[in-house]
Amino acid sequence: MGHWFSRNIVEPGKLPLFLALASFLLTFLATRTVTRLIRAGKGPFRNVSSGGLHIHHVVPGVVLTVLGGFGAVASGRHGVGSAVFAVVFGIGAGLVLDEFALILHLDDVYWSEDGRKSVEVVVLTAALVLLALAGFSPLGVDDMTADERQDRASFLLTLALNFLLVLVTAVKGKFRMAVIGTLIPFVAIVGAVRLARPGSWWSRHLYARRHRARARAEVRAHRHDRRWSRVRRKVQDLIGGFQERASGRGPTPPR
């Protein structure tokens, strides 16, 4: 295990990325645990306030993210400094993205239905960083051989084609698949060739007069959401603790 870690993480200069991901996940899980205890009125934890103003943890998160980001850029990929700043950046990013929904809505929606977006963003971010840690490069550049890299025409054509697929997938309203498609080449082709989701740009502009296509898209989206929404919500409840409010357990202190 030690040899594998040294060969695949340390030697290629991926240790800062690994430390940032680990600190990011640990910070998010610790933050969710603390906020759930505060909401339930258990333990020594309390909301942080100053002069009657509640200080959300996104505030120190932004400070740590900026500090860690600039420090990591200045430190390079190797050395103790890069590792330390990577941890600082990961902690800050965990605090910020835990309140992503608050930033998006400019409202305290932490425990509301809209607050589930924070969990989605954290899971998606962790998945993308894991892909990068495993060696996937944006738009599939890592899959090209040395000869293909020298052939500029093939290189640019691959980038352009995959970018087009990602773009079509995004305008069809399939943003998760579009993001993953930037790292795993041609995954976005699935979203690009299938019907657009209702309400997306593609659906509004290209299905306006195609009533059958719009009806099929609505039926397909309904079946997909019915199949996967329940699973997604259970995972979000498990990670974010939303089910505790729904069941009425414990008080809900103001945030």
Side-chain angles (χ1 to χ4, degrees):
M1 180 64 181
H3 176 71
W4 177 91
F5 186 84
S6 176
R7 181 176 181 181
N8 294 277
I9 301 297
V10 178
E11 291 181 5
K14 294 181 180 180
L15 182 60
L17 183 61
F18 174 82
L19 293 174
L21 176 61
S23 58
F24 169 74
L25 291 175
L26 290 175
T27 299
F28 170 72
L29 294 175
T31 303
R32 279 283 160 173
T33 300
V34 170
T35 54
R36 291 164 77 169
L37 290 174
I38 292 175
R39 186 175 59 160
K42 299 178 180 178
F45 306 104
R46 296 293 182 269
N47 288 321
V48 179
S49 301
S50 177
L53 175 65
H54 173 65
I55 307 298
H56 292 271
H57 48 269
V58 68
V59 176
V62 169
V63 175
L64 292 175
T65 301
V66 172
L67 178 63
F70 279 111
V73 171
S75 301
R77 300 174 62 184
H78 299 277
V80 177
S82 62
V84 172
F85 283 116
V87 172
V88 173
F89 177 81
I91 294 173
L95 293 172
V96 170
L97 293 189
D98 184 54
E99 293 200 313
F100 171 82
L102 182 148
I103 302 173
L104 179 64
H105 294 277
L106 292 179
D107 192 14
D108 192 353
V109 295
Y110 193 83
W111 295 116
S112 70
E113 189 68 20
D114 291 328
R116 295 177 180 273
K117 293 185 179 68
S118 296
V119 178
E120 287 192 35
V121 168
V122 167
V123 172
L124 181 60
T125 301
L128 292 176
V129 176
L130 279 173
L131 288 175
L133 195 62
F136 290 94
S137 297
L139 300 175
V141 176
D142 61 304
D143 285 342
M144 302 192 71
T145 64
D147 293 336
E148 289 174 328
R149 290 176 186 273
Q150 294 178 358
D151 186 352
R152 295 189 176 217
S154 299
F155 180 72
L156 293 176
L157 181 61
T158 300
L159 291 178
L161 179 58
N162 200 57
F163 177 78
L164 179 62
L165 294 172
V166 168
L167 182 62
V168 172
T169 301
V171 298
K172 283 191 171 185
K174 304 170 184 180
F175 299 107
R176 298 183 188 90
M177 185 173 293
V179 173
I180 295 175
T182 62
L183 289 175
I184 305 180
F186 303 117
V187 165
I189 193 173
V190 178
V193 300
R194 293 176 68 87
L195 291 170
R197 287 190 63 86
S200 64
W201 183 94
W202 190 284
S203 178
R204 294 195 308 270
H205 290 80
L206 299 183
Y207 293 169
R209 299 182 179 180
R210 298 175 57 190
H211 303 294
R212 293 183 61 183
R214 188 167 65 249
R216 288 173 53 207
E218 291 176 354
V219 171
R220 179 169 294 177
H222 174 72
R223 290 176 178 174
H224 177 274
D225 293 343
R226 185 176 60 180
R227 180 183 304 168
W228 295 107
S229 292
R230 184 177 300 177
V231 177
R232 185 171 64 249
R233 289 176 67 87
K234 286 184 178 179
V235 174
Q236 292 172 350
D237 288 346
L238 179 63
I239 298 175
F242 297 101
Q243 82 286 358
E244 295 171 3
R245 180 172 185 176
S247 61
R249 294 198 299 265
T252 305
R255 282 179 40 81

